[in-house]
Amino acid sequence: MTAARLAWAAVGIAVLVVVVRQALPREAVHAPLWTQVIGWPAALLLRCDPVRRWLGSGRLDNRVWLRVLSAGALFAATIAPTGVAFLLPVFAALVASVHLQWSGPRAWRACTAMTLLLTVALQVLLQIGWLPTPLPRSLELVATVITLVLPLLLIGNVTVLAAQREVQGPPWRPNGAPATTRCCTRPPTTR
């Protein structure tokens, strides 16, 4: 993704956040607008390859803990003031699946630790009253535990798939051609 496309995508997300915020009733909005306008485009920016490579010293499989924790912390900081802290494990699963794809199965520890650490940290802040929530605090805790189970299972499954992919080697390519990004490559036909 070029810098111009990335900038337009960040502006588009910021505009989308403002439009969605204006459509919501005032009672449903807990976070200041600036946290969302800065947070979501920053999450997009942190997701792009040049930034990931910079954090990983030029490679996508270096410094796994730094890359995973920085992406997870950015999502946590963006979600925390919105009142939906119980959804953090879902966003953590998105971060984990991308990093497991980039770094392979060795990233599972960092992904699991990030998911648990940030979820517990947000819940502690919520339970002591430092974060807003539209739900009763006990119900928020139950919702968090329920939403935490599926992402942890997802991290486990993606780790197994990444390990299998490493064992099997690169996917089949016709006539030794380089890998393409097209989704519909077919094997050569014989007549």
Side-chain angles (χ1 to χ4, degrees):
M1 183 178 267
T2 65
R5 284 186 180 172
L6 189 62
W8 279 111
V11 168
I13 288 178
V15 168
L16 180 65
V17 166
V18 170
V19 169
V20 169
R21 275 290 296 263
Q22 296 305 318
L24 293 173
R26 291 256 185 239
E27 308 83 46
V29 178
H30 296 285
L33 181 61
W34 67 269
T35 62
Q36 303 304 301
V37 169
I38 292 173
W40 292 114
L44 172 74
L45 190 70
L46 196 56
R47 164 68 177 87
C48 71
D49 279 354
V51 175
R52 296 273 121 208
R53 289 183 190 282
W54 175 71
L55 285 172
S57 293
R59 295 178 47 188
L60 290 176
D61 59 349
N62 279 350
R63 298 181 181 169
V64 175
W65 285 86
L66 174 66
R67 291 185 298 110
V68 169
L69 287 175
S70 63
L74 185 58
F75 274 114
T78 304
I79 291 171
T82 62
V84 291
F86 63 92
L87 290 179
L88 177 66
V90 176
F91 287 98
L94 293 173
V95 170
S97 63
V98 168
H99 287 282
L100 285 166
Q101 177 187 357
W102 282 339
S103 302
R106 68 185 179 93
W108 78 269
R109 287 182 185 91
C111 295
T112 304
M114 177 266 305
T115 303
L116 292 172
L117 176 75
L118 294 176
T119 302
V120 168
L122 281 188
Q123 280 305 306
V124 167
L125 293 174
L126 192 135
Q127 295 299 324
I128 61 175
W130 288 7
L131 292 179
T133 179
L135 302 173
R137 296 204 195 298
S138 59
L139 186 58
E140 175 83 26
L141 189 58
V142 170
T144 301
V145 170
I146 291 171
T147 59
L148 183 60
V149 171
L150 185 62
L152 290 178
L153 290 173
L154 178 74
I155 290 170
N157 287 338
V158 173
T159 300
V160 168
L161 291 173
Q164 288 174 350
R165 187 177 51 194
E166 278 189 354
V167 169
Q168 291 174 352
W172 175 85
R173 292 180 183 83
N175 301 327
T180 62
T181 55
R182 292 181 20 204
C183 66
C184 301
T185 56
R186 295 184 187 159
T189 57
T190 56
R191 295 183 189 210

